[in-house]
Amino acid sequence: MLLRLLIACLFATSVFAQNVPVLFPQPQMVRYSEDKFPVSLLTVAVPTAANAEVRFALQELKSIVFERTGIGIKNASPSASATFQWVVRKEGGALPEVSERDGKSNREHYKLTVSGNGVRVEAETSAGLYYAVQTLRQLITGQGKTAFIPGVIVEDKPALTYRGVMMDFAHGGLPTVAEIKRQIDFLARWKTNQYYFYNEVSIQLKGFPNIAYRSGYTQAQVREIIAYGKQRHMDVVPFLNLYGHLHELLRNEQYAGLAIGQYGHELDPRKPETNALLKDWISQYASLFHGPFIHVGFDETWETKRIADEKDARINSEELWVQQLGFVQAELKKYGKTVLAWTDMNNYYPDIIQKIPAEVIPVLWEYKPDTVEINRYLNPILKEQKPFFIQPAVSGWGHIYPDADYTYNNIDLCLQAGVKHRALGFIHSVWTDPVEPFVRASWLFMAYGCIGAWQGQVPDKKRFTEMYSRVMYPQVAGEMQKAFDDLAASNEALDKCLGRNTNGMPRGTIIESWSNPFLPYYLKNTDEHAAEFRNARRLSESAQAELINALVKCSPKDTAFIHSMIVTARLMHYSATRFLWAKTICDRWNESMLGRKKNDFVAYDLVYPCHGLLVDVMDEAGELKTAYSEAWRSEHMSYRLNTMLGRFDVENGLWQKLSLKVIGYRIENKSDHVADQSFEALFKPDF
């Protein structure tokens, strides 16, 4: 899919002319020519002796060309007659290995040449061939029989060896296996080579029948996902928690005794039963995930530290943390695994980096767009001269739609630090703590981080949604670009209204989006931010309109995604509406009854059955509940859906009860009755 930009200055090499295709991610070296090769003349040979990875890459080429142009690539015989020629120099190399830590591997390198005579790919391994095919996906220009590939020579290799996305399979809705495959397909476009499967207790384990029953993934499903990732040169890496964040386990009476303290968040490593359980888990995870890396978590063990500081001087929480990491690392070493672990506890234990086992790779995570905060965790790692990974995130944990600038800047700064200090890898986090938002709203930002990890620098933020929309949605690029930009701006407007006082909860607008809008705090807040709330509504309406228009022209494979984005826009619209309507309802009553001492159609404006202000909100909440359920089921398993739908039921109850109270008050009093109390004092709106 072609990108035409007038920014030849992005390239160190000369470009033939203006308005030439620009590859995305940007390759290391690109030279264009005046040649064109008609897609209709593409033929390819697939030798029976070719390995599975090569055969898959060539089949991917056929699928991409057909999807993009409607033209089927013919098989060539003999091979020498094919117009798509390929060379793969080495067998194997399908997935990243520990041996590539030195950064000298050429496993993913490729050279792509397009001339008037055909296409040629030279790659070290099948991974390079597959990535060359992904580049060709973007170079195809035009439709049908007139489609062509412009003449070009591309020499490409990644800036960072390990480039991953961590998907949260613990906190929010659990994506279906089909949706996980869609995510892997999507990430493969941007040459991502690791897919981190964040798991607390969402994978079923033998001997633990209560774990993940109807709320997780079977081992057979995980194997299916691993195999799917491998075809696309993406290692599915287990991202576990083997110390903290195990409330889903410890809330069960059977395992409650393994917790430290009374509140069931972290394991107690001092108990022999704890490590017996972990040995069992480690054995099963090591058998299930065949790749060389395992991330073991070890973040945010606050409960152990709190108990040590406040209650039990016999506990040295830092020593316990180091001891337990050593135990876990030693167990995993028996299975040939290389351990990654988070380092945020360095904030509490300044010298902890020098104490972690030498073979453990520290992973620095920092989700703020703040160089000072990043360096606070980075400097101790650099001091100890340890190889490391760096991990930013999409800010989807605090908003219905991610905070674009916050996310972009966080990725930018983490990538700059990682490249400057020769990080081994880059992991992009997608957290789902608030449960409500759809992961699909994060795809744009996932692509941004993955592109940056391949090319060693982030794309141009000012043009990113434009370029991304052209690549992903060529039939409706303009509509999608406008929708993405409007959603980001709508979130920015909402962020000026909500999210300042959530304290230990996820920072952002989503926590307050279901709060009682009639509380004095929110009525005052709405009055102060009415313009921003209205702007959020206007922008979300604009996004909805663009997305609805896109549905008419888009590829059928994109309709489910666009439907999810429409629901996301509607949720943002509703968040602003409920606060504005609560204030408007109170103002209408109070201005008339208390200000002018006159009952002039107040009840009509508020509760008229087909278009009163209270009915407006009930109508929208009810319709949104249905649309939300449909979008959820297209992306997730049913687990946690009822928790989310319950919010709509409670919400509807607020407005329904209030409507009945107003109607009752109107019936009980004469038509010219003038109330002597404010709306909020008289009716006490509450859930």
Side-chain angles (χ1 to χ4, degrees):
M1 292 149 191
L2 185 63
L3 302 177
R4 294 186 175 277
L5 305 178
L6 300 175
I7 46 174
C9 58
L10 283 176
F11 298 99
T13 57
S14 62
V15 177
F16 181 78
Q18 291 183 335
N19 281 344
V20 295
V22 175
L23 302 180
F24 186 29
Q26 177 187 334
Q28 298 295 317
M29 189 281 288
V30 182
R31 291 196 299 270
Y32 293 103
S33 73
E34 291 183 307
D35 287 350
K36 294 181 180 179
F37 184 78
V39 173
S40 60
L41 298 182
L42 268 180
T43 58
V44 63
V46 185
T48 55
N51 64 34
E53 289 82 14
V54 167
R55 296 175 70 84
F56 183 83
L58 297 177
Q59 183 57 49
E60 182 88 341
L61 173 67
K62 292 181 178 182
S63 299
I64 288 168
V65 169
F66 184 78
E67 175 190 320
R68 182 67 180 84
T69 68
I71 296 172
I73 298 181
K74 297 177 182 178
N75 292 322
S77 182
S79 298
S81 67
T83 56
F84 181 90
Q85 291 286 319
W86 54 272
V87 174
V88 172
R89 298 188 178 93
K90 299 176 183 176
E91 287 286 324
L95 297 175
E97 296 290 342
V98 176
S99 59
E100 296 177 78
R101 284 175 47 166
D102 61 7
K104 297 178 181 179
S105 171
N106 56 9
R107 182 181 65 86
E108 297 176 313
H109 296 198
Y110 69 88
K111 181 178 180 181
L112 168 66
T113 304
V114 181
S115 70
N117 298 319
V119 180
R120 179 177 174 82
V121 174
E122 300 170 62
E124 291 299 314
T125 69
S126 58
L129 174 62
Y130 182 80
Y131 293 148
V133 168
Q134 298 307 314
T135 297
L136 276 169
R137 180 198 292 269
Q138 296 183 42
L139 282 169
I140 296 172
T141 306
Q143 300 286 333
K145 294 181 179 180
T146 63
F148 67 91
I149 306 170
V152 69
I153 298 175
V154 175
E155 293 187 36
D156 205 5
K157 61 182 180 180
L160 293 174
T161 301
Y162 307 106
R163 306 170 308 282
V165 168
M166 186 220 76
M167 200 60 62
D168 184 357
F169 298 115
H171 297 111
L174 298 177
T176 63
V177 172
E179 182 69 12
I180 293 171
K181 290 178 179 179
R182 281 190 284 269
Q183 291 173 357
I184 290 173
D185 282 330
F186 172 75
L187 295 172
R189 285 176 174 240
W190 320 115
K191 305 179 175 72
T192 304
N193 64 12
Q194 290 181 321
Y195 183 85
Y196 286 86
F197 195 114
Y198 180 84
N199 161 69
E200 291 175 5
V201 290
S202 53
I203 297 175
Q204 292 180 11
L205 297 172
K206 297 173 184 176
F208 300 86
N210 293 344
I211 290 180
Y213 175 68
R214 299 180 68 84
S215 61
Y217 303 91
T218 67
Q219 293 196 18
Q221 288 174 317
V222 174
R223 290 190 186 94
E224 182 181 346
I225 293 165
I226 292 169
Y228 196 84
K230 183 179 179 182
Q231 285 182 315
R232 291 148 183 83
H233 302 277
M234 203 174 305
D235 188 18
V236 178
V237 181
F239 206 122
L240 314 176
N241 260 291
L242 299 180
Y243 193 179
H245 288 296
L246 286 173
H247 177 71
E248 304 298 308
L249 171 75
L250 299 172
R251 71 184 182 185
N252 292 282
E253 201 62 37
Q254 182 179 1
Y255 305 110
L258 300 181
I260 195 166
Q262 303 174 36
Y263 304 109
H265 291 291
E266 296 158 24
L267 295 171
D268 188 342
R270 300 169 301 171
K271 297 178 179 178
E273 300 89 346
T274 293
N275 286 347
L277 176 141
L278 289 181
K279 284 184 177 182
D280 189 333
W281 283 16
I282 286 170
S283 172
Q284 294 196 52
Y285 288 134
S287 175
L288 181 60
F289 293 91
H290 300 294
F293 295 102
I294 285 188
H295 196 305
V296 298
F298 272 69
D299 65 311
E300 298 179 343
T301 53
W302 299 321
E303 181 73 355
T304 304
K305 187 176 190 309
R306 185 186 66 79
I307 293 169
D309 291 347
E310 297 178 5
K311 293 184 176 182
D312 194 339
R314 295 170 298 175
I315 297 177
N316 184 318
S317 54
E318 180 180 9
E319 287 184 3
L320 206 57
W321 190 96
V322 173
Q323 169 193 314
Q324 189 63 4
L325 180 59
F327 163 76
V328 167
Q329 190 273 330
E331 282 299 311
L332 284 164
K333 187 176 181 179
K334 296 176 183 177
Y335 300 94
K337 302 298 184 182
T338 295
V339 171
L340 290 79
W342 272 322
T343 64
D344 59 286
M345 294 310 289
N346 179 74
N347 190 42
Y348 300 96
Y349 315 124
D351 299 323
I352 203 167
I353 299 300
Q354 62 185 263
K355 299 177 182 178
I356 66 175
E359 295 173 293
V360 171
I361 299 174
V363 181
L364 179 169
W365 69 263
E366 178 51 63
Y367 305 151
K368 298 187 187 74
D370 187 330
T371 302
V372 173
E373 292 296 316
I374 293 169
N375 287 339
R376 187 155 57 93
Y377 294 115
L378 177 59
N379 288 336
I381 294 171
L382 298 178
K383 180 181 177 182
E384 298 301 319
Q385 299 182 341
K386 287 186 173 290
F388 70 98
F389 281 58
I390 195 163
Q391 185 168 351
V394 180
S395 74
W397 64 84
H399 303 278
I400 298 167
Y401 185 80
D403 186 327
D405 286 342
Y406 190 97
T407 298
Y408 288 147
N409 291 335
N410 174 234
I411 293 169
D412 294 356
L413 294 175
C414 284
L415 184 63
Q416 288 171 18
V419 171
K420 178 180 178 180
H421 297 289
R422 300 175 183 267
L424 295 179
F426 188 86
I427 305 172
H428 201 42
S429 305
V430 182
W431 291 110
T432 59
D433 297 52
V435 184
E436 179 185 316
F438 301 113
V439 173
R440 289 171 181 169
S442 295
W443 280 28
L444 170 77
F445 306 97
M446 290 155 58
Y448 182 86
C450 293
I451 290 164
W454 175 273
Q455 62 191 26
Q457 61 183 25
V458 294
D460 177 5
K461 287 195 287 289
K462 294 180 180 178
R463 307 282 319 261
F464 179 63
T465 54
E466 175 193 353
M467 296 190 296
Y468 174 84
S469 298
R470 288 186 183 185
V471 170
M472 286 296 300
Y473 311 102
Q475 298 97 323
V476 289
E479 291 89 342
M480 295 304 293
Q481 176 195 344
K482 184 67 163 55
F484 288 132
D485 290 343
D486 284 343
L487 286 167
S490 180
N491 177 75
E492 185 178 352
L494 275 178
D495 201 35
K496 295 175 182 176
C497 308
L498 303 170
R500 294 178 303 285
N501 298 312
T502 52
N503 296 318
M505 294 177 285
R507 191 210 75 83
T509 58
I510 197 168
I511 293 298
E512 294 179 277
S513 63
W514 297 97
S515 300
N516 184 348
F518 291 96
L519 293 175
Y521 171 83
Y522 285 111
L523 290 173
K524 181 175 182 292
N525 183 69
T526 302
D527 186 53
E528 293 171 350
H529 296 93
E532 287 90 353
F533 274 124
R534 294 189 185 283
N535 196 32
R537 272 169 44 91
R538 180 184 62 80
L539 289 160
S540 63
E541 288 169 4
S542 176
Q544 288 178 61
E546 296 293 344
L547 292 164
I548 292 167
N549 288 336
L551 281 175
V552 178
K553 301 183 292 182
C554 73
S555 167
K557 68 181 178 60
D558 294 324
T559 56
F561 177 89
I562 293 174
H563 275 299
S564 290
M565 297 301 290
I566 291 172
V567 176
T568 294
R570 290 180 66 182
L571 283 166
M572 297 171 74
H573 187 270
Y574 184 76
S575 293
T577 297
R578 63 193 302 279
F579 288 102
L580 285 170
W581 257 231
K583 182 71 169 58
T584 301
I585 288 164
C586 291
D587 286 351
R588 175 69 182 95
W589 180 280
N590 298 342
E591 181 268 339
S592 182
M593 298 290 191
L594 304 183
R596 293 186 292 110
K597 308 294 184 184
K598 187 177 181 180
N599 184 341
D600 54 350
F601 302 101
V602 176
Y604 176 89
D605 289 344
L606 300 189
V607 295
Y608 195 75
C610 61
H611 54 236
L613 288 165
L614 286 161
V615 177
D616 289 346
V617 189
M618 285 187 282
D619 284 344
E620 179 59 17
E623 290 299 314
L624 194 49
K625 175 184 176 182
T626 300
Y628 184 86
S629 178
E630 291 170 353
W632 178 285
R633 293 182 187 279
S634 78
E635 183 172 339
H636 297 126
M637 303 178 192
S638 60
Y639 177 61
R640 286 200 169 115
L641 173 58
N642 286 330
T643 303
M644 295 298 101
L645 296 183
R647 294 185 181 184
F648 291 96
D649 295 336
V650 172
E651 176 76 358
N652 189 69
L654 167 67
W655 303 94
Q656 184 72 259
K657 286 191 301 181
L658 194 51
S659 177
L660 293 173
K661 284 183 180 181
V662 175
I663 291 171
Y665 187 84
R666 173 67 183 83
I667 292 171
E668 292 167 9
N669 293 280
K670 295 180 179 180
S671 59
D672 60 351
H673 171 76
V674 176
D676 59 0
Q677 287 182 284
S678 68
F679 183 89
E680 54 270 36
L682 180 61
F683 295 109
K684 298 178 174 57
D686 205 349
F687 297 107

